[in-house]
Amino acid sequence: MVADLARRTFDYFVREVNRESGLVRDSTKENAPATIAGSGLALTCYVVGADRGWLSREDAVARTLATLRFFWTAEQSDAPDATGYRGFFYHFLDVRRGQRVLECELSTIDSTIVFAGALAAAQYFDRDAPAEREIRDLADKLYARADWTWMLRDRMAVSHGWRPQRGFLPYDWLGYNEALLLYVLALGSPTHPVPRAAYARWLSTYRWKRLYGQEYVYGGPLFMHQLSHVWIDFRGIQDAFMRDKGIDYFENSRRATYVQREYATRNPRGFVGYGPNAWGISASDGPGPASRIVRGVRRRFYDYHARGVPFGLDDGTLVPWAVAASLPFAPEIVFPALRHISETYPTITGKYGYKCSLNPSFHARGKPGSAWISMGHYAIDQGPVVLMLENYLSGLIWRLMRRCPYVVTGLRRAGFRGGWLDAETR
């Protein structure tokens, strides 16, 4: 089940890509732009593909080099149609031309995923061959070019991003979320590192909660508890906050996974289809915008949105890929959920594994028991499935990134100690 799902999901990054630039389409929807996060995830997925024989090493090297060369040579300026600025990249790019589209932001978190993918590739492609040496060189240069101190803008927190002519977005990375990876890489930069005080400020905005018998750092959408773990093995290592609480971030994500299951089991908002094997609420596509009466209650349904529970938006949309990406944390509850979803809603599986989402409360009119199912696959969903399943099966990406000096430096500057990190110094 796991190997087949990973293989089918991986094919997204083989087919939904511009081979010349390595840019990956955001989704399978018609005329979808490229997404830099998807392109960064692809860089790490090619590592898995080469290691498992889904691609030849030569093909994986060629795809990786095309992507890294594009990001290194593409225009970096404050022009509104550039590819990036100050070492960061715009969230969405034209698939063919590689230029900014949709008036999107220079995204720090999506650029972080590009850097993480590049660094993972640099660790894997370690042979003394010209192409693999070039991968390592380009990965180092791309990462070193990012001006993290500029993104602080004197506020001691990294900004979500910047737009030409309008400046910085009004949001900073504060509170527990997917930016754990971002801060590790921002701290580990060999050229423009953020100060340790930025990480301390981030920790100060955490929300520690007790929910359904679980104590953990709260984050509503499930992806917040997954993304950083794609690349970093947090088992047994702790920063100051986690040392005080007596757990690590891996255990925190395990508890968050159990909270999601318990929420769906209790189903406090009365949605159709929820239960102990039907859970998983995260950023996803949805059936809206729409309004319908379901079981005598008028419900509002949304389109793509960062859903989260128990306190965030919930419109009855379940996200199978987010369940799959939780496999390393809690296989004992993930496997039954995946079997249930696959058996109950067989059309949720498409040519690239799980489609984005489903909503049993928004069934086809006149067809009770059916469910709305997203037609699209999204790169940002596909990547974590491939990579977290690989970490569950072999720990490959975790092993590679434990050797990355920038990750080690970033973790230590953040105050992490223990486990494999201490072993690195012995």
Side-chain angles (χ1 to χ4, degrees), residues 19 24 44 80 120 133 165 180 215 223 246 268 273 374-375 379 385 411:
R19 284 297 305 269
V24 173
T44 317
R133 288 199 302 270
Q165 301 173 328
L180 181 56
E215 290 187 281
F223 80 91
S374 170
M375 296 302 294
V385 172
L411 287 168

Side-chain angles (χ1 to χ4, degrees), residues 32-92:
T35 165
I36 63 166
S39 305
L41 285 161
L43 289 170
T44 317
C45 287
Y46 297 149
V47 167
V48 175
D51 204 65
R52 290 205 166 264
W54 300 338
L55 294 176
S56 68
R57 190 177 182 99
E58 293 73 21
D59 189 8
V61 165
R63 289 171 179 272
T64 301
L65 268 182
T67 309
L68 296 179
R69 286 168 177 166
F70 167 77
F71 279 118
W72 179 246
T73 59
E75 182 180 354
Q76 286 271 320
S77 76
D78 60 0
D81 62 349
T83 299
Y85 183 46
R86 291 188 178 246
F88 298 97
F89 301 98
Y90 288 104
H91 193 152
F92 296 113

Side-chain angles (χ1 to χ4, degrees), residues 209-358:
K209 292 187 176 292
R210 181 178 179 85
L211 299 170
Y212 305 140
Q214 303 285 349
E215 290 187 281
Y216 71 120
V217 181
Y218 177 74
L222 201 49
F223 80 91
M224 289 183 175
H225 300 280
Q226 298 168 338
L227 187 66
S228 298
H229 297 260
V230 167
W231 289 276
I232 301 179
D233 182 3
F234 286 102
R235 295 173 299 177
I237 66 173
Q238 299 169 310
D239 59 13
F241 188 96
M242 287 298 175
R243 278 194 295 276
D244 180 65
K245 299 301 182 182
I247 63 171
D248 56 37
Y249 285 102
F250 186 91
E251 171 63 18
N252 197 78
S253 292
R254 189 193 70 82
R255 295 180 184 186
T257 306
Y258 266 87
V259 166
Q260 285 247 347
R261 180 178 184 265
E262 184 62 23
Y263 172 86
T265 300
R266 299 187 185 197
N267 195 11
R269 303 180 196 181
F271 286 110
V272 177
Y274 281 24
N277 292 325
W279 50 272
I281 298 163
S282 192
S284 72
D285 200 4
S291 176
R292 280 189 182 181
I293 295 176
V294 180
R295 293 179 174 176
V297 178
R298 179 162 293 279
R299 306 281 195 181
R300 292 186 62 190
F301 297 92
Y302 299 83
D303 51 12
Y304 203 98
H305 204 285
R307 296 163 173 83
V309 296
F311 304 117
L313 173 67
D314 179 17
D315 65 352
T317 301
L318 297 175
V319 188
W321 73 261
V323 177
S326 293
L327 188 59
F329 308 127
E332 67 281 3
I333 63 173
V334 168
F335 278 123
L338 295 181
R339 283 193 293 268
H340 171 79
I341 291 293
S342 297
E343 292 170 1
T344 308
Y345 309 101
T347 57
I348 191 65
T349 303
K351 64 179 179 178
Y352 299 136
Y354 288 126
K355 296 173 187 174
C356 178
S357 50
L358 63 102

Side-chain angles (χ1 to χ4, degrees), residues 153-175:
R153 54 176 179 152
D154 300 321
R155 293 165 63 96
M156 209 49 66
V158 176
S159 173
H160 279 209
W162 177 90
R163 286 192 177 99
Q165 301 173 328
R166 286 194 279 175
F168 289 102
L169 302 183
Y171 310 106
D172 296 327
W173 288 108
L174 297 171

Side-chain angles (χ1 to χ4, degrees), residues 103-124:
E103 297 186 357
C104 66
E105 82 285 8
L106 200 71
S107 172
T108 49
I109 189 62
D110 295 277
S111 296
T112 293
I113 295 172
V114 173
F115 304 143
L119 294 174
Q123 290 303 310
Y124 184 79

